[in-house]
Amino acid sequence: MTNKSLAKRPEDTCVLVTGGAGFIGSHTCVELLAEGYRVIVLDDLSNSSKEAVRRVRRIAGAGGERCAFVEGSILDRDLLGRVFAENDVDAIIHFAGFKAVGESVEKPLEYYWNNVAGTLVLCDVARAHGVKNVVFSSSATVYGEPEFVPITEDCPKHAPTNPYGQTKSMLEQVLSDLYAGDGEWNVVLLRYFNPIGAHPSGLIGEDPKGIPNNLVPYVAQVAVGKLAAVGVFGDDYPTPDGTGVRDYIHVVDLARGHVAALRWMGGKVGTGEPRGLGSVAGEPAPDGTRRGVGIFNLGTGRGSSVLEVIAAFSRACGRELPYVIKPRRAGDIAVNYAACDKARDELGWVAEYDLDRMCEDSWRWQSMNPDGYAS
Ligand code: WQD
């Protein structure tokens, strides 16, 4: 078998987490360590902080000893070679990538180079070391303007409206083609909806650079007094209160979805056969390690409007947060939320936390760390 086996205990499994110092990556490392995995974080710290790794270890307690950190880029072939040569990596959870929608429009070359070329280098070096188990951090953005909601994995992909989204869609195709050309590949594409919230300890959370582009980190900075008021991008959408509706998912729920994906890849759960166009699953290896491409939406299946988010965050922080209605933001869609039956049936995973809990945890992180990791 020219792929590492995943049919073994977490305690015997080493996971390379690229971008593991980032928002979703750091929360995923916490859950991996809690399950007993050995974790190697590779991060170039271009949009994250080494402090996040220190806090992941703090949350993990004794398990923190199983978390190693390597600073560097997925584009660095020599560094990747050393990581794989010096560690018995069994699987990769691949978060590393630039992710700012607006910035990607201004800097397409940097986005395609870092996200796409970087992933090609990563897969080439991994393959050379017999590692073909990859969980990829994808996004609901690959659906573009969805043909229907709730969105299932069979919903046709539409051309994303920005280079960032294009890199996600292209990399889904690349990873699917790796399996089409070599049946040993074991790939899971996780399509995130809107990750928000923070670890309940308040030690790790979302720490965007500059003025936040996304709603909840912006609201959090209004709540902590760093920004004056929330700008609501349009209140004339065809939605109950006129503002945009999204499927917000707690980052801890999202992180646990990655652990569930690893178990699935090892053939441990989700005996249900992959359903729909979204999955291409080959015959498992003799030891049960899966082969093929599994595609899963990770969301809650519930939509919340911008005004509902502001109201929930106001409850969490104990004061009415000010907002002003502004024109629609270019490229925004009215409604976007997931159908998550497939992740429930095959991964055995369901999001647990509601919007109030997401905002409570986000508020705790923000109020304890008003300047993010810098503070
Ligand atoms: C949510 C809602 C806005 C900011 C983005 C990326 C997507 C994914 C998740 C990575 C919308 C409204 C926002 C503000 C507002 N990222 N809004 N005022 O656009 O759904 O998705 O993040 O994969 O690729 O596109 O998230 O948080 O930016 O917006 O009114 O200051 O909040 O119009 O309705 P979005 P968002």
Side-chain angles (χ1 to χ4, degrees):
M1 174 176 173
T2 57
N3 182 22
K4 291 294 184 68
S5 167
L6 289 186
K8 51 188 181 178
R9 302 178 312 147
E11 290 75 7
D12 304 321
T13 306
C14 176
V15 183
L16 172 63
V17 182
T18 72
F23 174 42
I24 303 168
S26 57
H27 286 81
T28 300
C29 289
V30 166
E31 300 304 320
L32 288 168
L33 293 168
E35 287 288 312
Y37 289 96
R38 167 144 163 64
V39 170
I40 301 170
V41 173
L42 172 67
D43 200 303
D44 65 4
L45 302 181
S46 61
N47 188 28
S48 56
S49 164
K50 193 173 177 182
E51 176 63 18
V53 179
R54 282 191 280 269
R55 296 190 185 187
V56 164
R57 291 188 181 122
R58 184 172 154 194
I59 293 167
E65 293 167 3
R66 285 181 275 106
C67 180
F69 174 70
V70 176
E71 181 174 350
S73 165
I74 53 176
L75 283 158
D76 186 340
R77 180 182 289 273
D78 293 340
L79 175 63
L80 284 173
R82 289 197 300 277
V83 169
F84 280 94
E86 293 165 9
N87 301 277
D88 191 15
V89 176
D90 295 297
I92 301 163
I93 301 183
H94 179 32
F95 295 104
F98 297 155
K99 65 168 188 174
V101 168
E103 183 185 57
S104 75
V105 175
E106 298 155 20
K107 300 179 177 177
L109 177 56
E110 288 76 7
Y111 270 69
Y112 286 114
W113 180 246
N114 185 65
N115 293 9
V116 180
T119 302
L120 297 179
V121 174
L122 173 66
C123 289
D124 188 32
V125 176
R127 178 181 61 178
H129 289 81
V131 179
K132 299 174 182 175
N133 301 306
V134 180
V135 178
F136 177 59
S137 167
S138 191
S139 168
T141 203
V142 303
Y143 296 112
E145 174 88 35
E147 290 197 10
F148 49 79
V149 289
I151 300 173
T152 64
E153 288 83 357
D154 303 348
C155 184
K157 290 170 66 173
H158 287 308
T161 55
N162 56 81
Y164 159 76
Q166 284 285 11
T167 68
K168 290 299 185 184
S169 195
M170 290 165 75
L171 288 171
E172 287 198 349
Q173 188 60 55
V174 165
L175 292 166
S176 301
D177 288 346
L178 291 183
Y179 168 69
D182 170 0
E184 294 280 356
W185 284 88
N186 181 11
V187 172
V188 169
L189 309 176
L190 297 180
R191 292 174 177 169
Y192 310 154
F193 280 71
N194 287 62
I196 64 169
H199 190 267
S201 66
L203 290 173
I204 58 176
E206 191 167 9
D207 185 17
K209 290 187 297 189
I211 304 292
N213 298 308
N214 295 136
L215 177 65
V216 170
Y218 196 103
V219 172
Q221 291 196 14
V222 171
V224 81
K226 292 185 75 173
L227 294 169
V230 181
V232 176
F233 297 153
D235 65 348
D236 58 350
Y237 284 103
T239 61
D241 65 17
T243 63
V245 171
R246 296 289 185 275
D247 186 333
Y248 297 95
I249 176 172
H250 197 297
V251 65
V252 172
D253 276 326
L254 191 65
R256 290 169 179 163
H258 293 74
V259 177
L262 280 179
R263 286 198 301 264
W264 184 82
M265 293 167 85
K268 297 187 182 64
V269 292
T271 51
E273 275 311 299
R275 289 184 286 107
L277 298 176
S279 275
V280 175
E283 281 304 307
D287 70 354
T289 298
R290 286 188 189 272
R291 292 165 174 162
V293 180
I295 301 178
F296 300 98
N297 289 337
L298 295 189
T300 65
R302 288 184 303 280
S304 301
S305 75
V306 175
L307 293 182
E308 286 172 328
V309 169
I310 294 172
F313 214 102
S314 296
R315 289 193 292 275
C317 70
R319 73 182 178 93
E320 285 308 308
L321 295 175
Y323 65 85
V324 292
I325 303 297
K326 292 192 170 179
R328 292 184 178 190
R329 178 173 64 178
D332 272 354
I333 58 178
V335 180
N336 188 358
Y337 61 93
C340 315
D341 308 65
K342 194 174 173 206
R344 180 196 62 209
D345 297 344
E346 295 185 36
L347 299 183
W349 172 91
V350 177
E352 292 178 49
Y353 300 128
D354 65 8
L355 184 63
D356 278 326
R357 172 67 187 268
M358 294 177 213
C359 291
E360 288 157 12
D361 290 345
S362 179
W363 169 239
R364 188 177 306 106
W365 150 256
Q366 190 70 74
S367 56
M368 287 170 62
N369 304 272
D371 295 319
Y373 291 110
S375 54

